[in-house]
Amino acid sequence: MTEAPKAGSLTADPIAGLEGVVVAHTALSDVDGQNGRLVLRGKPIEELAGKATFEEAVRHLWYSYIFSDLTTLLQAFGAARAEAFATVPVLEAAASGLSIYERMQVGLSALPLSQDRPHPISISAALPVFLAASFRLANGEMPIAPDPRLSMAEDLLTMMFGNTSDADHVAALDRYLVTILDHGLNASTFTARVIGSTEANLKQAVLGAMGALSGPLHGGAPGPVLDMIDAIGTPGNAEAWIGEALARKERLMGFGHRIYRTRDPRADVLKDGLKALATTTPKVKLAEDIETAALAALKKARPGRVLDTNVEFYTAVLLDAIGIDRRLFTPLFAVGRTPGWCAHVMEQQETGKLIRPASVYVGP
Ligand code: ACO
């Protein structure tokens, strides 16, 4: 009998990671990695983020599948948030050791879906409600009911913090949610499409996508970005701290990307969001200094590979600047990406084709 390959010997597999493999046609978003451009259904991200509200951007993305005028969509989202709040007792009863993210997944599993409203609306509206309720429960506070008259971003801040939100912060959160709405076939969107292709329901596809998003190589990075900024502490420490991390072969969170061979355009969209805030914090300046030091160190340490700033670096800085706890970074990413996942599942299901690739057997 032939020997099984030794552990680790498959890392040289040229198809590991599916890099460059095309697995779908999509009209939803185009990620141009060479030129650092992101287009959402015909519009560059710079025309949407900071200019459109989250609902306007979602309406734009969903246009081919869920056509509605903006007022109707706002009302449907508001009503769906109110309905989702009825599921919050399930979150309260969930085991206390669960993370905020896991509680959101529990809530989503338990969410009843009616046939009276498109499921993408019900699911996209429920996750912000579950996020805010889980956050408050984790802090020993009572969940706050949504206000269906508010926009998603304003209601989310109100449900989290309980007071009327600063317009500046609502605009920053809207900008963030629009920025991350959709991004080609990233790992979580691919997961959603694979699940959707089996004709599983949308809830299952979003739950699976949330699982894929949670890892540090995808949506789990911004919390560790802030940990890194805090650990460095002052600009003078940046070079040494980063040099030591790279010498230990660690990855710098918030840098590098599978597709972009230049700067992730979303990093600048979010950095512009910092400039739009009325007040700044010392951490913002520190982050900019750390970014400069990190880019110089990465250039030196990995001369053969372009490793530039990705979306997660300024996600951490912007969300922190508007007072969002780092435990909420990945949960918020899921809230912003959910309508994107839903759109991809609808697009995939339109093809009627099961995604089922092949593998090359190299075992004994
Ligand atoms: N810091 C240091 N080295 C890095 C980094 C980094 N951030 N990113 C990649 N590298 C190195 C790798 O160690 C590897 O070096 P080697 O060839 O000597 O082993 C080389 O660059 C290529 O890395 P891969 O993992 O093959 O590249 P891939 O395209 O798969 O990686 C990824 C993309 C996972 C995002 C990577 O850049 C990374 O781990 N970044 C840090 C985590 C992060 O910021 N995640 C958020 C990504 S954005 C998003 O998903 C929304």
Side-chain angles (χ1 to χ4, degrees):
M1 196 167 136
T2 5
E3 288 285 303
K6 288 200 172 42
S9 64
L10 293 179
T11 52
D13 182 348
I15 52 173
L18 297 181
E19 189 161 352
V21 177
V22 174
V23 297
H25 285 178
T26 180
L28 295 166
S29 55
D30 181 29
V31 184
D32 176 351
Q34 291 306 323
N35 298 303
R37 272 169 53 84
L38 167 61
V39 171
L40 259 56
R41 226 179 54 80
K43 285 196 184 201
I45 191 64
E46 295 79 5
E47 273 181 32
L48 288 167
K51 299 194 170 87
T53 62
F54 185 52
E55 287 87 343
E56 284 167 339
V58 171
R59 178 174 175 265
H60 171 72
L61 189 71
W62 283 357
Y63 196 84
S64 308
Y65 298 98
I66 301 177
F67 172 76
S68 92
D69 62 82
L70 189 59
T71 311
T72 309
L73 187 64
L74 280 162
Q75 282 167 352
F77 271 140
R81 286 201 302 280
E83 261 171 45
F85 194 68
T87 300
V88 163
V90 175
L91 310 184
E92 292 174 47
S96 57
L98 293 189
S99 68
I100 291 168
Y101 202 70
E102 287 163 338
R103 269 184 210 268
M104 288 165 70
Q105 289 174 305
V106 168
L108 181 54
S109 300
L111 181 74
L113 292 176
S114 88
Q115 291 312 318
D116 300 339
R117 179 174 297 120
H119 292 179
I121 293 181
S122 301
I123 292 172
S124 302
L127 283 174
V129 175
F130 298 154
L131 180 151
S134 306
F135 175 59
R136 290 185 69 84
L137 289 169
N139 294 339
E141 293 167 332
M142 289 291 287
I144 295 175
D147 180 344
R149 295 162 304 173
L150 300 181
S151 73
M152 191 94 92
E154 184 170 7
D155 205 14
L156 184 46
L157 289 171
T158 310
M159 286 188 285
M160 280 194 281
F161 302 121
N163 44 14
T164 317
S165 310
D166 189 326
D168 233 17
H169 291 186
V170 175
L173 185 56
D174 253 328
R175 175 188 287 265
Y176 168 68
L177 295 172
V178 171
T179 302
I180 54 147
L181 175 57
D182 197 40
H183 200 244
L185 277 211
N186 58 82
S188 56
T189 301
F190 181 50
T191 304
R193 285 187 82 122
V194 171
I195 297 174
S197 83
T198 71
E199 292 183 9
N201 67 41
L202 190 61
K203 219 156 71 163
Q204 295 302 332
V206 173
L207 281 164
M210 285 182 76
L213 183 76
S214 65
L217 301 191
H218 191 12
V225 166
L226 206 57
D227 295 340
M228 172 179 74
I229 295 171
D230 287 343
I232 293 175
T234 62
N237 287 341
E239 202 181 320
W241 193 99
I242 290 166
E244 282 163 26
L246 290 176
R248 288 192 301 269
K249 300 264 175 245
E250 285 174 17
R251 289 174 182 229
L252 298 182
M253 293 292 130
F255 297 91
H257 199 273
R258 171 60 68 82
I259 306 287
Y260 292 118
R261 288 295 164 259
T262 178
R263 199 172 167 81
D264 181 336
R266 299 169 299 172
D268 285 329
V269 167
L270 295 178
K271 196 173 177 184
D272 286 347
L274 286 164
K275 291 183 203 138
L277 291 177
T279 52
T280 188
T281 62
K283 209 178 271 181
V284 172
K285 173 76 181 80
L286 171 63
E288 286 173 358
D289 290 338
I290 290 173
E291 183 192 17
T292 308
L295 292 177
L298 285 167
K299 206 168 176 182
K300 220 155 92 189
R302 313 242 183 250
R305 171 121 188 157
V306 181
L307 292 170
D308 213 320
T309 315
N310 67 42
V311 65
E312 302 289 41
F313 190 81
Y314 280 104
T315 289
V317 186
L318 182 66
L319 294 181
D320 180 65
I322 62 166
I324 306 244
D325 191 301
R326 71 193 73 194
R327 288 173 296 160
L328 295 174
F329 291 175
T330 306
L332 269 178
F333 197 152
V335 165
R337 185 54 62 83
T338 296
W341 290 331
C342 294
H344 277 272
V345 171
M346 290 187 274
E347 192 177 61
Q348 180 62 39
Q349 288 182 338
E350 205 174 46
T351 69
K353 197 77 189 160
L354 172 74
I355 299 177
R356 203 304 185 191
S359 50
V360 176
Y361 179 66
V362 295

